[in-house]
Amino acid sequence: MKVAIQGELGSNSHMATVEMLGNQNGLEIIPCTVSAQVLAKVVHGEVDAAVLPIENSLHGSVAEHYDLLLELPVRIDGESLLRIRHNVIAMPGVKLSEVRKVMSHPVALSQCRRFLAAHPELEVVPFYDTAGSVKHVVAAGLRDAAGIAPELAARVYGAEVLVLGIEDHAENFTRFHLLRREDADVVSVAGADKMSLAFAIEHRPGTLVAALQRLADAGVNLTKIESRPVPGSPWEYVFYVDVRFETAAKAEAALGALREHCRMIKVLGRYRAA
């Protein structure tokens, strides 16, 4: 099975993929530079699936990924929650006192402010990827630099962890989606109890309230709502919602009620909640 991720091997997306699919024989993880490339590989059949982050408990939603879910013929088949831990990782044998520069993705750096403030001697350099920073340090043989990345990156690239768990908040989680082509064979998931939807409504007073009331009347539980602007239509929005349901009948009732009210609706996926 081939699965595309955004970022390098050893990244949080790599870890989330293994968590969802298991470290099975034949699992091949394909690293990609940007998220659009990840989903292009899914759409064109170059990979069987993709794993992308959709939301971080501290940083919020990944807006670009909501846009791609609406635009492309893909569906959500599963989700996972990954505890995010940031670690200082360097070349083997390097001591923290020798490090003059740390590199990582800007989001990771922003989640390690206390550690960085406590070490003003360290130059902080934004990098395109957490695991990619470790890959670069090792490939270039840098003994005065370190990456901030998951522990897995140290194992993948033969580096060493200098400091464990430098994140500001222990309760730091990222929610990942497992994505497949819209027309791929449906993988039966026992106990599917969550549905993600995108919908658009008429730009009139009260239409959003009415849509949400229909979900409530259908007996589903709204757990998230997100809005994204409609390109070419200033101040109009597509709404993304996650709902939990007890039975498939309630999910169908919610869909039917929304279809009567909304000018556009897309089911992004039904799956088991993490």
Side-chain angles (χ1 to χ4, degrees):
M1 184 177 183
K2 290 185 178 181
V3 180
I5 62 170
Q6 190 277 317
E8 299 285 358
L9 297 179
S11 63
N12 287 310
S13 291
H14 182 172
M15 294 172 64
T17 302
V18 171
E19 183 175 295
M20 275 194 275
L21 299 174
N23 202 5
Q24 54 186 286
N25 289 332
L27 177 62
E28 182 181 356
I29 297 176
I30 311 298
C32 300
T33 306
V34 295
S35 301
Q37 182 187 18
V38 171
L39 290 185
K41 288 184 178 296
V42 175
V43 171
H44 296 144
E46 297 174 31
V47 297
D48 302 294
V51 169
L52 284 177
I54 194 68
E55 180 183 19
N56 177 263
S57 59
L58 300 179
H59 193 71
S61 298
V62 185
E64 177 194 3
H65 295 175
Y66 280 101
D67 296 340
L68 290 169
L69 282 172
L70 180 62
E71 174 189 345
L72 299 173
V74 296
R75 70 166 191 260
I76 305 166
D77 268 8
E79 74 170 4
S80 71
L81 294 177
L82 182 70
R83 162 79 187 281
I84 304 301
R85 298 203 71 190
H86 299 303
N87 311 281
V88 181
I89 302 173
M91 288 276 291
V94 170
K95 298 178 181 178
L96 183 62
S97 59
E98 300 175 73
V99 175
R100 296 290 175 264
K101 176 170 65 178
V102 290
M103 299 177 284
S104 195
H105 191 279
V107 172
L109 294 173
S110 72
Q111 294 176 354
C112 302
R113 290 172 182 162
R114 292 176 188 168
F115 175 84
L116 296 174
H119 294 273
E121 73 279 5
L122 297 176
E123 178 188 358
V124 179
V125 179
F127 208 72
Y128 74 94
D129 183 58
T130 54
S133 67
V134 176
K135 180 181 180 181
H136 173 68
V137 166
V138 173
L142 304 178
R143 302 192 66 82
D144 64 344
I148 294 177
E151 282 187 80
L152 180 59
R155 297 198 295 272
V156 169
Y157 300 111
E160 288 184 359
V161 176
L162 300 185
V163 188
L164 280 167
I166 66 167
E167 64 275 5
D168 293 343
H169 301 279
E171 295 299 308
N172 184 0
F173 294 88
T174 295
R175 188 160 62 98
F176 288 85
H177 279 158
L178 175 66
L179 304 165
R180 290 188 172 90
R181 272 174 60 116
E182 207 168 47
D183 59 359
D185 292 340
V186 175
V187 179
S188 178
V189 179
D193 58 359
K194 189 172 183 179
M195 178 166 59
S196 294
L197 306 169
F199 65 85
I201 48 183
E202 297 298 330
H203 195 27
R204 292 182 285 103
T207 50
L208 177 58
V209 172
L212 298 181
Q213 186 61 53
R214 286 173 180 245
L215 291 175
D217 291 344
V220 298
N221 181 29
L222 180 72
T223 59
K224 180 176 174 61
I225 183 168
E226 185 85 17
S227 64
R228 294 289 299 147
V230 177
S233 299
W235 320 125
E236 293 191 22
Y237 300 89
V238 173
F239 295 93
Y240 297 83
V241 297
D242 290 342
V243 298
R244 296 285 297 271
F245 55 87
E246 296 173 352
T247 65
K250 287 188 176 182
E252 290 299 328
L255 281 174
L258 274 185
R259 286 191 175 110
E260 293 174 359
H261 179 70
C262 300
R263 60 182 176 85
M264 182 281 293
I265 183 168
K266 180 181 179 181
V267 179
L268 302 175
R270 292 194 202 190
Y271 47 96
R272 186 175 180 84

